[in-house]
Amino acid sequence: MVKRKVGALEKVDADLPNLQHKLRKDPISYKDDFCKQYNQYATQREIFLQAPSSATDGGIVSFRDLIDFVSHVADCYPDITAKFPEELAEILTLHHTVLETELREKIVGSLVLLRGKEIIDSSALLHTLFPILTTTPSKSLRTLVFQKILSDLRSSNAKTTNHRLNRIIQTVLYHLLTSDRSSPKGIWAVKLTRELWKRQIWTDSKAVEIMKEASLADNEKVVVGGIRFFLGGDKEREEMEDESSDEETSIDIGKLRHQAGINKKTGKKMKSLDKAVATVKKKERKKSQPHPLNFSALHLLHDPQGFAETLFSKHLQNSRSKLNLEQKLQVLQLVSRLVGLHKLTIISLYSYFIKYLTPRQPSVTSFLASLAQSTHSLVPPDVLEPLVEKIANEFVSEAAASEVASAGLNAIREICVRQPLAMNDTLLQDLIMYRKSKDKGVMMAAKGLLGLYREVGAELLKKRDRGKQAAMGLRSGDRKERRFGEEEAGEIEGLELLEQWKAEERRKRREEKGLPVDGSDDEAMAEDEEEDWGAWDVEENESDDSGGWIDVESDADIDISDDEDNRPPLKKPKLDDQPPIATASDPETAAANTTPQVKSEKKPSTLATTRILTPADLAKLQELRIHANVSSLLKPAQKRRLEKEKNNRHIDDPLTSLEIEGFASLSARKTKEAKLAAAAAGKTERNEHRSTQSMRHEKKIREGKSSTNKEKARKKNFLMTLGKAKGKQKRSLVERGRVLRGHVERLKRGGKRGNKGK
């Protein structure tokens, strides 16, 4: 049989990519050709559905090509391809376990392509793909479907937040976790929610509730995924944000403009320059926009008390729990962070720690960190005292190793930072005696405990241990014994500095006017009010109909202030009239001194409650804060500032086992090899001896800077310079003089380009 020759036009019609290109240009003229291919697709589909597992290789390839062709041009013929997405979804849903790998990936890609052409919406696509994600045994298909779901959610929330779609998916994930708590399918809800939280697509409380249900599941992998989200999800989000900001700030516009001005101008280089300028402008617009309020996941919990109690009773107290020690430790860290952050009350939690507080316990520093993290000012001291004594007896002793003793002292210090009343004076005196230890780590840990109680509980220390500042504070009455449940009144940072500055400025103005320095309160208020009218940096439009002030009735009879504010200022007692300072052996004198001590207490500033702060006041407040921070960096105050920052660590920051170990690394004696390795690590990387000029040249190359003409001439090939050298030898005396005069004139002009000007 003779093979029939195919004409050129028939080859073009049989070529699907070429036909696809023609259909894009003129859909009406090639409608019949598309109908032929679509009918062929329908025939191939019916044949395939009759025996999906026994389809031939040729039939699968042709069917796959037809699916790809129809999905690319389906938007040109919406009436003909109206049922095409439903047919693809049906094939994928019913036969995804027996489909050939490439055909399966092609169907998933075609559905995503139809979503990009807006033939189907996101909810229809996700309702098709999500059941496959949780049921398919194929690992490659699960990875592909997960990536497609994630990319579709990202694109749907790119310009504006798609609340409707987010609610649908969040409801699906929530029911996936709550319908069967022992099923491993919930791990996909955890992965999807964590990835969307990291990319700041989901930042609301509904995503947190999904991970809360995951933490309370019965499957170990799902539980660990939920616990790790609460412990490290916010840190991942910050790292992702830092990486994106670093990518944006890596563009040097000045360098690009310099290169574009010197090098040959091409269209490609100009496009790259325009793209870089657009990126920088976009970044500047982002800076002017308000920063989104990204709350921590622990702050968005609806019922933290119930969540912490359920976690503790289900995974820690339950003897049937399947979690191992490492997983239980993660649950314990989450419970302790919830208790410390929200100041919850779970009394049975502290008795749970007792059996783990021994140096022989694996990961004991993590247990100590969790105990310190679960302590706050509302925990009864009676509950914490046995734990502190247990740590002191087990860890801090002469027979204990130096690393163990320093870890125990650091743990006690972290507990007492949060609840100073957990310590008694006898135990405190024993612990601070270790500041005389020969071991550096133990000595520094004991000094840290001593410095803490000089600030928060100097009355528990002996007089010789209190220090100058604490002793003066106790004598003047500025420092009092802290009571259980007592909270310090919060105020604006640095407000007392602004109040002192205003008082000083008022005193200077009165001296210039010749008025008495100590004026009455009414005069001071009048001066401040007169000053405030000039401090508002706001432009106001004058209206024509504003004739003047409107008279209102006097409200002098209305008293809305407290009685204490209206009292006349008390006179300061003279030094001679003050009674002697009471001692422990003179109780009568102590009782007599009660009133002056109360009067000398430092009262919170009333500046923010008695007047409105103007923009000028706020600017001055910022200036005074900066000045105070710079002053605190001076050496006499540096040590106290560091101690205060350590004591006032932010409550959101987790406490890790590394902070409990603290100075334990100082206690371990290093060998000579370790000391040499540490010294070598601190030096700069110089494998061989090199000159300074060579290092500078390498630095210029790394920064993208060009070399000088002399450096380029040195690297030029010798044969290229040979002709110039021969020409110089053949010059006559007249030519040499002419060249030399031209060289001198060029130097006067500033080179060939005349950079020095005319």
Side-chain angles (χ1 to χ4, degrees):
M1 181 177 178
V2 181
K3 187 175 181 181
R4 187 177 69 90
K5 294 183 179 180
V6 181
L9 294 177
E10 293 182 3
K11 283 185 179 180
V12 170
D13 292 338
D15 188 8
L16 292 180
N18 197 5
L19 180 59
Q20 175 184 330
H21 179 67
K22 290 180 178 180
L23 289 172
R24 283 286 176 195
K25 285 187 174 181
D26 191 2
I28 300 175
S29 301
Y30 290 92
K31 185 177 181 180
D32 296 337
D33 297 327
F34 174 76
C35 291
K36 291 179 183 178
Q37 298 296 334
Y38 191 77
N39 293 332
Q40 190 174 355
Y41 151 76
T43 305
Q44 292 280 356
R45 175 178 169 273
E46 292 177 359
I47 296 172
F48 177 80
L49 289 177
Q50 291 178 0
S53 57
S54 60
T56 61
D57 295 340
I60 291 175
V61 171
S62 61
F63 186 46
R64 187 177 65 216
D65 293 340
L66 287 169
I67 289 175
D68 185 45
F69 168 74
V70 175
S71 60
H72 274 86
V73 296
D75 54 332
C76 298
Y77 308 100
D79 298 335
I80 301 175
T81 60
K83 296 182 179 180
F84 179 68
E86 298 177 2
E87 294 171 354
L88 291 183
E90 181 183 359
I91 294 173
L92 188 63
T93 305
L94 297 177
H95 308 290
H96 63 87
T97 55
V98 297
L99 284 177
E100 193 258 342
T101 305
E102 294 184 2
L103 177 61
R104 191 170 56 193
E105 293 178 358
K106 180 61 68 176
I107 293 175
V108 173
S110 300
L111 288 172
V112 175
L113 182 62
L114 294 174
R115 164 69 187 96
K117 295 177 179 294
E118 296 184 355
I119 297 176
I120 58 175
D121 56 355
S122 293
S123 59
L125 175 65
L126 296 175
H127 277 302
T128 303
L129 296 182
F130 198 80
I132 298 172
L133 176 67
T134 57
T135 56
T136 181
S138 173
K139 185 177 180 180
S140 60
L141 181 59
R142 286 198 302 265
T143 305
L144 176 66
V145 170
F146 180 77
Q147 291 175 353
K148 298 300 182 183
I149 291 175
L150 185 62
S151 61
D152 184 69
L153 287 172
R154 288 180 61 188
S155 60
S156 300
N157 291 274
K159 295 181 179 179
T160 56
T161 304
N162 193 339
H163 295 286
R164 179 178 174 274
L165 179 63
N166 292 341
R167 282 198 302 269
I168 293 173
I169 301 303
Q170 286 169 352
T171 305
V172 171
L173 298 181
Y174 186 85
H175 288 308
L176 179 65
L177 287 166
T178 55
S179 59
D180 187 5
R181 293 188 178 274
S182 60
S183 173
K185 297 179 181 179
I187 193 66
W188 294 107
V190 173
K191 288 183 177 181
L192 193 61
T193 306
R194 188 167 184 174
E195 193 69 25
L196 293 171
W197 179 271
K198 182 173 70 174
R199 300 180 184 275
Q200 299 187 22
I201 299 173
W202 287 357
T203 56
D204 55 352
S205 59
K206 293 181 180 178
V208 178
E209 288 296 317
I210 293 172
M211 303 307 287
K212 174 184 172 182
E213 294 298 329
S215 302
L216 300 176
D218 295 333
N219 186 271
E220 294 85 358
K221 291 185 178 180
V222 179
V223 171
V224 172
I227 297 296
R228 286 180 178 173
F229 168 78
F230 285 107
L231 292 178
D234 299 323
K235 188 176 180 181
E236 289 179 354
R237 183 171 62 179
E238 293 174 1
E239 290 175 354
M240 176 73 72
E241 188 174 1
D242 293 340
E243 288 176 3
S244 60
S245 62
D246 291 342
E247 291 174 0
E248 291 176 355
T249 56
S250 61
I251 300 173
D252 189 356
I253 295 296
K255 179 181 174 183
L256 292 174
R257 290 188 185 278
H258 177 71
Q259 291 177 353
I262 291 177
N263 299 335
K264 183 179 178 181
K265 295 179 177 62
T266 60
K268 184 178 180 181
K269 290 181 180 178
M270 297 307 294
K271 284 181 181 179
S272 64
L273 179 61
D274 295 339
K275 186 178 180 181
V277 172
T279 305
V280 173
K281 287 182 179 179
K282 183 179 179 182
K283 180 193 164 191
E284 293 296 329
R285 286 196 301 269
K286 280 185 179 179
K287 283 184 179 179
S288 61
Q289 292 176 355
H291 192 274
L293 295 175
N294 292 330
F295 290 101
S296 171
L298 297 174
H299 288 283
L300 294 175
L301 284 168
H302 177 63
D303 182 17
Q305 176 73 38
F307 180 45
E309 289 179 352
T310 309
L311 272 178
F312 180 63
S313 60
K314 184 172 185 178
H315 298 309
L316 297 178
Q317 283 186 324
N318 188 9
S319 59
R320 297 181 180 179
S321 177
K322 298 179 181 179
L323 302 179
N324 55 30
L325 180 63
E326 183 182 357
Q327 294 169 347
K328 284 186 177 181
L329 189 55
Q330 291 179 349
V331 177
L332 185 61
Q333 289 173 353
L334 176 57
V335 174
S336 62
R337 282 198 67 184
L338 287 171
V339 171
L341 181 63
H342 296 281
K343 294 189 176 181
L344 309 178
T345 303
I346 305 177
I347 301 299
S348 57
L349 172 65
Y350 303 98
S351 60
Y352 177 81
F353 281 102
I354 292 181
K355 61 182 178 180
Y356 296 105
L357 299 180
T358 172
R360 295 177 296 277
Q361 172 66 39
S363 305
V364 67
T365 52
S366 298
F367 282 101
L368 292 173
S370 300
L371 173 59
Q373 206 167 218
S374 62
T375 306
H376 53 83
S377 59
L378 300 181
V379 178
D382 299 339
V383 177
L384 295 175
E385 281 184 8
L387 296 170
V388 174
E389 291 179 359
K390 178 74 179 297
I391 296 173
N393 295 333
E394 292 283 344
F395 290 83
V396 188
S397 65
E398 297 292 342
S402 55
E403 295 88 349
V404 175
S406 61
L409 285 170
N410 282 330
I412 292 174
R413 182 189 179 280
E414 293 294 340
I415 292 172
C416 295
V417 163
R418 294 159 173 80
Q419 179 54 286
L421 301 177
M423 179 68 68
N424 56 64
D425 52 354
T426 306
L427 181 59
L428 181 60
Q429 292 299 327
D430 293 340
L431 294 177
I432 64 175
M433 289 298 292
Y434 283 91
R435 72 184 187 277
K436 299 179 182 179
S437 174
K438 294 181 180 180
D439 186 81
K440 193 173 183 180
V442 177
M443 178 262 294
M444 295 182 72
K447 282 187 176 180
L449 184 63
L450 175 61
L452 169 67
Y453 271 91
R454 282 178 176 175
E455 295 289 335
V456 299
E459 64 278 353
L460 296 177
L461 298 170
K462 291 182 179 180
K463 288 185 178 180
R464 67 172 182 269
D465 298 330
R466 289 175 181 174
K468 181 180 177 181
Q469 299 291 333
M472 292 175 63
L474 288 176
R475 288 174 189 168
S476 62
D478 291 340
R479 299 191 182 186
K480 295 194 309 179
E481 183 180 356
R482 184 175 295 185
R483 298 181 180 180
F484 174 67
E486 183 180 0
E487 295 286 342
E488 295 181 358
E491 59 181 13
I492 301 175
E493 182 185 357
L495 192 61
E496 67 279 357
L497 300 174
L498 181 62
E499 192 171 14
Q500 293 173 5
W501 178 80
K502 282 186 170 293
E504 185 68 20
E505 292 293 319
R506 191 185 306 117
R507 185 185 64 79
K508 290 179 181 179
R509 286 197 304 269
R510 294 185 68 85
E511 285 181 353
E512 291 175 358
K513 294 179 182 179
L515 298 174
V517 178
D518 297 332
S520 62
D521 293 344
D522 296 337
E523 294 178 359
M525 291 292 292
E527 291 179 5
D528 290 342
E529 186 177 356
E530 183 179 354
E531 179 190 355
D532 288 348
W533 285 109
W536 288 96
D537 190 15
V538 180
E539 296 181 359
E540 296 180 356
N541 297 326
E542 297 180 358
S543 76
D544 298 330
D545 57 349
S546 60
W549 295 97
I550 301 174
D551 295 333
V552 295
E553 295 182 3
S554 175
D555 53 356
D557 297 332
I558 302 174
D559 187 9
I560 59 174
S561 61
D562 297 335
D563 295 334
E564 295 179 359
D565 296 338
N566 295 329
R567 292 177 183 173
L570 297 175
K571 295 182 179 180
K572 295 182 179 179
K574 297 180 180 179
L575 295 176
D576 298 338
D577 298 334
Q578 288 183 356
I581 299 173
T583 59
S585 61
D586 192 2
E588 296 179 0
T589 312
N593 284 342
T594 305
T595 307
Q597 286 184 359
V598 173
K599 291 182 181 178
S600 63
E601 289 180 8
K602 182 182 177 182
K603 294 184 179 180
S605 175
T606 58
L607 186 63
T609 57
T610 56
R611 53 176 295 175
I612 300 174
L613 297 180
T614 63
D617 290 339
L618 297 175
K620 189 63 183 179
L621 178 61
Q622 182 66 19
E623 180 185 345
L624 292 172
R625 282 180 190 164
I626 295 173
H627 181 69
N629 290 335
V630 172
S631 301
S632 65
L633 292 175
L634 300 176
K635 286 192 175 180
Q638 188 174 8
K639 188 175 180 181
R640 291 195 299 270
R641 182 179 61 83
L642 292 175
E643 283 293 325
K644 188 174 181 181
E645 288 179 359
K646 193 171 183 180
N647 295 342
N648 297 335
R649 185 191 293 113
H650 199 276
I651 195 170
D652 287 352
D653 298 337
L655 186 66
T656 61
S657 59
L658 295 177
E659 296 177 11
I660 294 296
E661 293 171 6
F663 304 107
S665 59
L666 299 175
S667 301
R669 294 185 178 180
K670 295 181 180 179
T671 60
K672 184 179 180 180
E673 291 78 8
K675 291 180 181 179
L676 291 174
K683 295 181 180 179
T684 57
E685 296 181 359
R686 293 184 63 176
N687 298 328
E688 56 184 8
H689 177 73
R690 296 167 60 190
S691 63
T692 307
Q693 187 175 2
S694 175
M695 295 172 66
R696 287 176 181 170
H697 179 65
E698 185 179 354
K699 182 181 178 183
K700 286 174 66 175
I701 293 176
R702 284 200 307 267
E703 293 176 355
K705 296 179 180 178
S706 179
S707 58
T708 62
N709 290 333
K710 287 185 178 181
E711 292 174 347
K712 291 175 181 175
R714 289 194 199 103
K715 295 181 180 180
K716 189 176 277 190
N717 191 1
F718 174 71
L719 294 176
M720 296 175 67
T721 60
L722 190 60
K724 187 175 183 181
K726 287 181 179 180
K728 286 183 178 181
Q729 292 176 358
K730 295 178 181 179
R731 286 176 185 171
S732 64
L733 187 61
V734 178
E735 288 179 351
R736 287 185 182 181
R738 181 174 54 79
V739 171
L740 185 59
R741 284 193 298 272
H743 177 66
V744 173
E745 289 177 0
R746 279 197 301 273
L747 289 178
K748 290 180 180 179
R749 291 199 309 267
K752 290 183 178 180
R753 297 185 180 181
N755 294 330
K756 292 183 180 179
K758 296 180 180 179

